[in-house]
Amino acid sequence: MKQGKIGVTTENIFPVIKKFLYSDHEIFLRELVSNAVDATQKMKTFASVGEFKGELGDLTIRISLDPEKRILTISDHGIGMTAEEVDKYINQIAFSSAEAFMEKYKNQTNIIGHFGLGFYSAFMVADKVEVVTRSWKEGSKTMKWSCDGSPEYTLEEVADRPEHGTDIILYIAEDSKEFAEKDRIKELLDKYCKFLPVPIAFGKEQEWKDGKMVDTDKDFIVNDTEPLWTKKPSELTGEDYDNFYCKLYPMAEPALFHIHLNIDYPFNLTGILYFPKIRNNFDIQKNKIQLYSNQVYVTDSVEGIVPEFLTLLHGVIDSPDIPLNVSRSYLQSDSNVKKISSYITRKVADRLQEIFTNQRADFEAKWDDLKVFIQYGIVTDEKFAEKAADFVLVKNTDGKYFTLKEYEELIKANQTDKHGTIIALYTADTETQYSFIDAAKAKGYDVLLMDGQLDNHFINWCENKNQGMRFVRVDADVVDKLIAKEENKTMSLSTEQQSLLRPVFEAQLPGTDKVNYTVSFEPMDENEQPVIITRNEFMRRMKDMAASGGGMTAFYGQMPDSYNVVVNGNHPLVVDALAQVEGQVGEEIEKLDKKIDNIQTQKKTIDERVKDQKPEEVAEEDTKLQEELGKKLGEFQAKRTEKLQTVGKENKLVKQMIDLALLSNGMLKGEELTKFIKRSIELIEK
């Protein structure tokens, strides 16, 4: 028997390993099984090059568990180790046998480990670890290495193993007893080892017999040694890809499309990516791509490998060229990762272009599910945006799809304004904005449906890409001003009459701190609505973007909502309202207006007299007179506004017109909606 100390530089190596070597203690099983796979793959290599002359036999890796004694064993039929190799590769931490083997047989096989620390992850969960091993080399003895978590170990010859290979025996610690439970081990094997290239057995398959599930004689193999991404696309059918997706995500809806990745230069990368149906919550969609290294599961946080928008995809990426730290849990940034990222982006774009070109009907049928993904890529990744510009679609309210170029050609003749800018009209809600859509279509305009989560960002991208096109929502203005033409309509209301009606309409507007209303008068067709409520395109878009994304637009999110209350200056009901107001307070307002005009005339005379004088040169009596006239002017104007607002508050016709506009925008609710209904009945009964 040999006794000694493990070759480490600190007496505290095991506490460090237990706490800090790996972010998750459960990773120990992946490391130990991966080592067993490496040993088995090396055995195959020696046989293939003729260094091993015997029969390989059953190379299945076997996991066994004694829950009562808390003993977990990982057994392989790989190359095993001699006493010297145990001393070299186990006692001298971080001197990995994988590095030496890779150098000698670099063109023969794929080896997982590169750091030599994987074995020691066992001490994160075990009080004691034993290694029983026999080398494949002729004349080798079975050796047993044992360590209780201190730097002390024993190494002795035993007669327990008749064949080459290694048993790793873990005596699970009290604080890690979850790893002595069968279901927990099965869960970890399914997570980390289900696609390893060597069969892994854990227990027996079961069958229903005599009213219960009982073990059979057949091993339960936990892994698929030849997963779909390791095969050639030419060998696979659409059903194969669908079944594999179901295997990866049993509860998911069927995927839309798939991409099979397969490249060996300038880096090695295989995998299958799927386009899922994107739901509202991006975060739920992310972290569904599984990263493997030579079929060993590494992580599902792949942001370092694929661009942000591609994290919405599902599937598998496998590459031995992606650098990993000792725990294989976090990615390190280097040129290979950037190349891989660019390659995946290009492949995704090329695949989408291929589907669009060859199967446009199918592409359009699935567009509503693809839309968010493609828009996300466009607004976050310039390279993808360049390629996607040819296959990104827009849909109008009639359910027809167009590329951006096709749509520009469609609307160019009728929707170009007097400045030569093509105006694309759109709606975010066909129900609440129906009246605006109807008015636009009556003018012969086409209207897009832009009701997605990223449509505001996408619209900005479109406008930046094509300076000759602008997007305007149908409720941004009255229909005649959505696309400014050379036409000039006249209004029946004079400036004085507008001034008379403005306070009347303002008096009936909803009062809230979070909403601002501005009353304006427009010369519209008398058959259009008497009052229309619109929202400024720029401000509304900024607020919508602030609500969804923050950033530079967050400032606008703090501002109150602003609406334009546009009064149709040619509508008969507006003219009737004017007549009512003039009949009630016309004479009083006329008298006030004369006084206001007189004061303004006096004030203008003084202002003209002192306009070229410095403040200190103005005569005291002129300054005093200016102040008095200003005060009087304010008082009379306030009195005028108060009288008109008092009349306005009682004017049911004005209230009805405003409520109709609010109702048309889906803004009339609760008590105000009930009052509107009662008032409508009263007006009908009259």
Side-chain angles (χ1 to χ4, degrees), residues 62-90:
R62 300 184 182 279
I63 315 294
S64 59
L65 177 68
D66 185 333
E68 298 298 323
K69 296 180 179 179
R70 296 207 305 264
I71 298 175
L72 177 67
T73 304
I74 296 95
S75 300
D76 68 64
H77 193 48
I79 60 171
M81 289 179 283
T82 64
E84 291 78 11
E85 288 170 334
V86 170
D87 188 51
K88 180 178 181 181
Y89 297 131
I90 290 186

Side-chain angles (χ1 to χ4, degrees), residues 28-29 31-37 39 61-65 71-77 80-81 86 90 118-123 125-126 128-134 143-145 161 165-172:
F28 82 94
L29 190 58
E31 297 299 313
L32 297 179
V33 175
S34 296
N35 286 347
V37 170
I61 296 167
R62 300 184 182 279
I63 315 294
S64 59
L65 177 68
I71 298 175
L72 177 67
T73 304
I74 296 95
S75 300
D76 68 64
H77 193 48
M81 289 179 283
V86 170
I90 290 186
F119 165 74
Y120 279 89
S121 64
F123 287 97
V125 301
K128 179 183 176 183
V129 178
E130 294 177 348
V131 179
V132 178
T133 183
R134 180 181 171 186
M143 304 303 298
K144 180 179 179 181
W145 179 93
R161 214 178 203 288
T166 301
D167 300 326
I168 307 293
I169 305 163
L170 281 68
Y171 296 82
I172 304 298

Side-chain angles (χ1 to χ4, degrees), residues 47-193:
S48 68
V49 297
E51 290 189 31
F52 177 71
K53 307 294 185 183
E55 293 292 327
L56 286 176
D58 182 9
L59 296 179
T60 301
I61 296 167
R62 300 184 182 279
I63 315 294
S64 59
L65 177 68
D66 185 333
E68 298 298 323
K69 296 180 179 179
R70 296 207 305 264
I71 298 175
L72 177 67
T73 304
I74 296 95
S75 300
D76 68 64
H77 193 48
I79 60 171
M81 289 179 283
T82 64
E84 291 78 11
E85 288 170 334
V86 170
D87 188 51
K88 180 178 181 181
Y89 297 131
I90 290 186
N91 294 336
Q92 297 181 45
I93 291 178
F95 190 81
S96 173
S97 62
E99 292 293 347
F101 185 87
M102 284 283 286
E103 183 60 30
K104 184 175 180 181
Y105 299 100
K106 57 186 176 183
N107 296 319
Q108 302 296 327
T109 189
N110 290 322
I111 300 300
I112 297 162
H114 285 278
F115 296 95
L117 287 172
F119 165 74
Y120 279 89
S121 64
F123 287 97
M124 296 192 300
V125 301
D127 287 330
K128 179 183 176 183
V129 178
E130 294 177 348
V131 179
V132 178
T133 183
R134 180 181 171 186
S135 173
W136 67 281
K137 296 173 183 176
E138 191 173 346
S140 295
K141 306 293 184 181
T142 299
M143 304 303 298
K144 180 179 179 181
W145 179 93
S146 181
C147 180
D148 62 3
S150 71
E152 305 290 337
Y153 73 89
T154 61
L155 179 62
E156 59 184 319
E157 183 181 328
V158 294
D160 289 345
R161 214 178 203 288
E163 296 180 316
H164 60 81
T166 301
D167 300 326
I168 307 293
I169 305 163
L170 281 68
Y171 296 82
I172 304 298
E174 174 66 27
D175 62 0
S176 299
K177 58 185 179 183
E178 63 175 290
F179 300 115
E181 298 173 5
K182 182 178 179 181
D183 287 344
R184 182 70 168 121
I185 296 301
K186 188 175 180 181
E187 174 193 342
L188 296 183
L189 290 171
D190 182 67
K191 178 177 180 179
Y192 293 109
C193 307

